[in-house]
Amino acid sequence: MLTHTETTVIPAFPQASARVQSLLSQMTLEEKAAQIVGYWLDQGGEVVAPMQGEMSGSVPSGALADITRHGIGHFTRVYGTRPVDPAERAAWLWAEQRRLQSETRLGIPALVHEECLTGLAAWKAATFPTPLAWGASFDPALVEEMAVSIGDSMRELGIHQGLAPVLDVIRDPRWGRVDECIAEDPYVVGVLGTAYVKGLQDAGVHATLKHFVGYSGSRAGRNHAPVSAGPREVADVFLPPFEMAVVEGGVRSVMNSYAEIDGVPLGSSAEYLTALLRERWGFDGVVVADYFAVAFLEIMHRIAADRGEAAQAALTAGIDVELPTGDAYLEPLIERVKAGLFDEAYLDRAVLRVLGQKEDLGLLEPGAFADGPPADIDLDSPRHRDIARRLAEESIVLLSNDGVLPLAATASTIAVIGPNADRAEALMGCYSFANHVLAHHPEYPIGFEIPTVAQALTAELPGARVVGARGCEVEGDDRSGFAEAVEAARAADVAIVVVGDQAGLFGRGTVGEGNDSESLELPGVQRELVEELVATGTPVVMIALTGRPYAIGWAIDGENRPAAVMQAFFPGEEGAGALAGVIAGRVNPSGRLPVSLPRSAGAQPYSYLHPRLGGPSDVTATDPTPVRPFGFGLSYASFEYDLLAVDEEVSAGAAFGAVVRVTNTGSMAADHVVQLYGHDVTASVTRPEAQLLGFHRLALAAGESAEIAFTVPTQRFAFSDRSMVRIVEPGDVHVWAGADAATDVTRRATVRITGAAHTLTRADPRLVQAEVVRV
């Protein structure tokens, strides 16, 4: 139970301009509270947040003018909760912002936030590949370009803050939210996530890091389950991507995790939200609550007796804004302050941060809405589609190929089979508007062009006869379509079977928020369908169109396996065309696995970043070795590596060089992801057998060579020592270039790190630089 005596320390106040300080000094308690909450105009019946139905009674009712009479901090998802015409909604929003300026006492507009993980989550807006596909691309420059285009659309619609990116490191593929994550490697997550932050904020929209911290480490991959990670795993695995996005990316907002770590909910943790995030890392933006997370301190975590205590715990810890509504930060908080049970200084601290954010975004300027709203806006322009196409093409991973791909020009009849062969929804992730919201509104079209795999193959191969058969659904045990599918395969020169997931929320699908899985077998009877098609003797190409990696070793290495297997992680609106391009040979596959391909559900959780004790062993009957390792991906070209030079000695805290030469020995131009790995030979705590130090995507013509000069800060070998201080420890490290995390393609070179142990600071470099020289 929280008492007044537990909150007597006056919080440190953020820097604020004279204008912001003046506004705060004029505010009543009610006006202050109004600035640190959101209002969800369209909460309605579309369940897009956890326990939304149970929480619906907390939403204020009545006319909007009455609800916002003291002002309002945020408007929650103005465009993204139901299908609304963007231009019509923008006209409403501009009028509402002008009303707030003219009719509330202090005239402060609302900050508008939206989801934007795979593009702006609004009707008719472009849908890009899901973050797992960003990871498969290993292309931070393209991710940044995508984020700029998303931010431009948001800014034009009067949206100020995006609730993305997700920087949770994948620890267990059974977790439903894996499709929202980038990779199982913290460095890849940090580099690509920071690129997204920079792009969105360069467009004038504040990014929000999710979910701080440890959310993806829940027990058994279950959503909203406790996290049992030790402090070293938290410090060395979960935190580095967030630190990079704060220090290198200058992110302006952070969202707390629903999780509890060792019994302490993150929404009440001043240790993480204030001491670490602000005091150690220097974050000076705004912390927002994940939806209903403040109320969850009472009803889920049970560390507060009522909403007032929940508000006190969250505000004290450092959550500045309660979203999506003011369930705890309005009446319950106000009553607690008036009763003398909570210091108003904590409220003032949050209000100063919120007003500072609004000032940064230009919302406090008198002419903020003098210009009219957009009368016509294209949220799916040729620019959007070009970026979506390039990212989709770079993200497709070829897992196996016996030579059937690319398809020969003589393939005159192609059977396109499977539950995801002719469904547009199968190409998009959980946080796409189509699967997030339109699932509740089947009467509405998706709102933009998104060809299915079957349609894209028909367009890509105009000289071939394309026939289709569904075979089965994504879920369920109905095999009545098998016979038609088998007949179509027998009559074809090649059969392409498209299996996988349907993204959705809270049980409405096979992957996505709340759709955790006990099994990593393909859902339903899809495996049986593939096996029956293979048994026809017709060459079969299997496409796994999924939001998580599945245990498909039977399809890759089994005795009766498809001729080729491709992995596509929800590649978005241009994904079908990208897949068709790879099949036809127009696109040379260059994606790499951002997460290990699991052998079984029983081998989870697994990470390639395991110490020797976590690898294969003859003291256990189970085999954790993945079917395909992190970083794996085939190409239609072939490559030779040579590690030319590595600095033999470097001081702890300095950087060393490593030069790798790569030659495209194939007959086709190709992109290739050059991967540099390392291993700390002997350390004071156990270290991974291999860790990715750096990477670089490289385009090479047939026969062309290039040298990549990596500059590697020794901080890439940093870890938390036995005193939980992050250091670079002196000693020998091995460095090599690898085709993936399990394959050395060059000799291992030894670099000796010398001098005293180096303690990491905020000023330390975190990024590996790569310079390319053509030879």
Side-chain angles (χ1 to χ4, degrees):
M1 192 130 177
L2 297 172
T3 66
H4 177 58
T5 58
E6 291 173 318
T7 61
T8 55
V9 177
I10 303 299
F13 276 65
Q15 294 290 327
S17 68
R19 173 167 55 184
V20 165
Q21 290 174 343
S22 174
L23 279 173
L24 178 69
S25 69
Q26 300 173 55
M27 285 182 168
T28 65
L29 185 57
E30 288 75 15
E31 287 170 332
K32 292 177 183 178
Q35 285 299 313
I36 60 170
V37 302
Y39 176 67
W40 199 347
L41 185 76
D42 289 319
Q43 185 168 354
E46 293 84 359
V47 179
V48 295
M51 297 183 65
Q52 181 179 325
E54 291 85 343
M55 302 297 296
S56 60
S58 65
V59 180
S61 60
L64 187 58
D66 181 59
I67 292 165
T68 59
R69 64 189 181 280
H70 299 300
I72 194 70
H74 281 232
F75 277 151
T76 294
R77 303 202 63 184
V78 169
Y79 296 90
T81 305
R82 61 182 176 88
V84 293
D85 180 79
E88 291 177 7
R89 194 60 156 175
W92 174 89
L93 177 59
W94 257 252
E96 182 57 30
Q97 294 281 33
R98 290 165 178 166
R99 185 193 64 78
L100 288 172
Q101 288 178 316
S102 63
E103 295 183 14
T104 61
R105 190 173 72 90
L106 296 175
I108 303 171
L111 189 152
V112 179
H113 73 255
E114 279 292 354
E115 300 285 0
C116 57
L117 189 64
T118 61
L120 172 60
W123 193 37
K124 301 182 181 181
T127 297
F128 295 92
T130 206
L132 255 185
W134 311 353
S137 78
F138 283 82
D139 192 343
L142 186 51
V143 169
E144 184 170 349
E145 186 181 352
M146 174 192 69
V148 172
S149 73
I150 295 170
D152 286 344
S153 293
M154 297 174 76
R155 189 186 66 251
E156 191 171 359
L157 287 174
I159 303 166
H160 312 104
Q161 182 168 336
L163 303 186
V166 171
L167 298 189
D168 296 305
V169 178
I170 297 169
R171 303 298 277 174
D172 192 328
R174 294 173 296 180
W175 191 49
R177 303 194 76 167
V178 164
D179 98 273
E180 300 173 50
C181 303
I182 296 169
E184 71 178 88
D185 181 271
Y187 183 71
V188 174
V189 176
V191 170
L192 272 72
T194 299
Y196 183 96
V197 167
K198 289 180 176 178
L200 200 71
Q201 295 190 165
D202 282 349
V205 176
H206 286 185
T208 306
L209 307 184
K210 297 169 23 175
H211 305 85
F212 190 70
V213 63
Y215 189 31
S216 57
S218 59
R219 293 176 190 165
R222 289 171 45 237
N223 202 35
H224 283 227
V227 174
S228 300
R232 185 168 289 103
E233 182 179 0
V234 174
D236 293 351
V237 175
F238 291 118
L239 286 175
F242 290 93
E243 182 182 20
M244 189 183 296
V246 169
V247 176
E248 301 284 346
V251 73
R252 302 310 302 146
S253 183
V254 171
M255 175 182 281
N256 76 288
S257 162
Y258 286 130
E260 57 187 62
I261 299 178
D262 196 24
V264 178
L266 269 298
S268 68
S269 175
E271 294 82 4
Y272 284 106
L273 296 178
T274 296
L276 176 67
L277 181 63
R278 294 190 182 278
E279 295 170 7
R280 196 150 43 143
W281 291 354
F283 175 71
D284 62 354
V286 174
V287 175
V288 299
D290 205 344
Y291 282 14
F292 306 117
V294 177
F296 286 172
L297 296 177
E298 175 200 353
I299 64 175
M300 296 286 285
H301 299 291
R302 302 292 178 90
I303 67 159
D306 54 37
R307 293 292 198 277
E309 285 194 3
Q312 177 172 329
L315 202 55
T316 302
I319 293 182
D320 301 306
V321 179
E322 183 187 10
L323 298 180
T325 63
D327 193 46
Y329 277 14
L330 289 177
E331 285 80 2
L333 175 63
I334 291 169
E335 290 174 5
R336 199 163 182 84
V337 171
K338 287 181 175 179
L341 297 173
F342 187 48
D343 197 324
E344 191 174 347
Y346 285 94
L347 181 57
D348 291 347
R349 178 181 71 177
V351 174
L352 285 174
R353 290 170 180 159
V354 169
L355 293 178
Q357 183 184 23
K358 289 188 174 185
E359 183 177 47
D360 289 345
L361 289 163
L363 289 173
L364 302 187
E365 300 300 325
F369 294 93
D371 294 336
D376 184 32
I377 179 170
D378 187 354
L379 300 179
D380 187 39
S381 68
R383 172 196 178 201
H384 290 96
R385 300 200 71 93
D386 175 66
I387 296 169
R389 175 189 56 78
R390 287 185 281 132
L391 186 53
E393 290 176 350
E394 290 186 0
S395 71
I396 293 167
V397 184
L398 183 60
L399 296 174
S400 66
N401 183 21
D402 71 358
V404 69
L405 293 179
L407 283 190
T410 55
S412 59
T413 302
I414 301 171
V416 183
I417 299 166
N420 284 345
D422 207 22
R423 288 195 316 113
E425 291 81 4
L427 296 159
M428 297 177 282
C430 172
Y431 267 73
S432 66
F433 188 77
N435 289 326
H436 207 69
V437 176
L438 282 185
H440 301 282
H441 300 273
E443 71 277 14
Y444 280 83
I446 288 177
F448 54 83
E449 182 182 351
I450 177 168
T452 67
V453 174
Q455 291 167 341
L457 280 166
T458 300
E460 185 77 34
L461 302 166
R465 176 173 170 260
V466 177
V467 297
R470 201 172 189 90
C472 66
E473 301 300 325
V474 169
E475 297 182 89
D477 58 3
D478 184 359
R479 299 169 178 82
S480 61
F482 278 21
E484 181 189 9
V486 167
E487 182 179 349
R490 280 203 181 104
D493 297 303
V494 65
I496 297 170
V497 56
V498 190
V499 297
D501 278 320
Q502 170 57 48
L505 289 164
F506 312 120
R508 300 191 305 276
T510 57
V511 73
E513 186 171 0
N515 290 325
D516 314 312
S517 180
E518 296 177 359
S519 168
L520 289 177
E521 289 291 327
L522 285 174
V525 293
Q526 295 182 81
R527 174 175 175 173
E528 293 180 43
L529 174 64
V530 176
E531 290 174 335
E532 291 214 13
L533 297 177
V534 171
T536 66
T538 298
V540 173
V541 175
M542 184 179 108
I543 299 174
L545 198 52
T546 71
R548 62 158 61 90
Y550 280 100
I552 54 173
W554 55 270
I556 296 174
D557 298 326
E559 184 176 347
N560 298 308
R561 60 183 180 269
V565 177
M566 299 164 61
Q567 173 68 63
F569 296 113
F570 294 145
E573 63 182 31
E574 290 285 344
L579 286 163
V582 171
I583 289 169
R586 175 177 55 82
V587 176
N588 199 334
S590 60
R592 298 294 183 268
L593 285 175
V595 60
S596 304
L597 201 66
R599 186 166 300 278
S600 69
Q604 306 309 310
Y606 172 87
S607 169
Y608 94 93
L609 291 167
H610 63 78
R612 181 173 292 274
L613 199 62
S617 171
D618 58 6
V619 300
T620 175
T622 61
D623 184 4
T625 308
V627 173
R628 291 291 184 269
F630 171 87
F632 179 87
L634 299 177
S635 171
Y636 298 151
S638 55
F639 303 90
E640 287 185 359
Y641 277 69
D642 186 19
L643 188 62
L644 296 180
V646 174
D647 293 338
E648 295 181 358
E649 189 171 286
V650 62
S651 299
F656 65 89
V659 180
V660 179
R661 182 166 59 203
V662 182
T663 301
N664 178 354
T665 57
S667 59
M668 296 177 62
D671 276 14
H672 186 64
V673 178
V674 183
Q675 303 167 49
L676 190 71
Y677 286 90
H679 168 62
D680 197 337
V681 179
T682 305
S684 55
V685 300
T686 61
R687 303 297 299 137
E689 286 292 278
Q691 73 175 90
L692 184 70
L693 298 178
F695 60 90
H696 185 75
R697 174 174 277 270
L698 179 69
L700 289 173
E704 185 181 14
S705 297
E707 291 180 3
I708 303 93
F710 291 99
T711 301
V712 184
T714 53
Q715 288 83 346
R716 290 293 299 120
F717 286 101
F719 60 86
S720 298
D721 68 9
R722 296 194 180 199
S723 301
M724 289 308 299
V725 176
R726 280 184 62 80
I727 64 167
V728 178
E729 196 172 64
D732 289 348
V733 296
H734 288 163
V735 177
W736 67 95
D740 51 60
T743 308
D744 302 2
V745 294
T746 64
R747 63 179 175 84
R748 291 194 175 202
T750 300
V751 178
R752 175 154 293 176
I753 300 176
T754 63
H758 172 78
T759 301
L760 265 66
T761 70
R762 193 190 310 170
D764 274 292
R766 291 161 177 80
L767 295 172
V768 173
Q769 304 298 323
E771 182 179 354
V772 178
V773 178
R774 303 285 171 173
V775 294

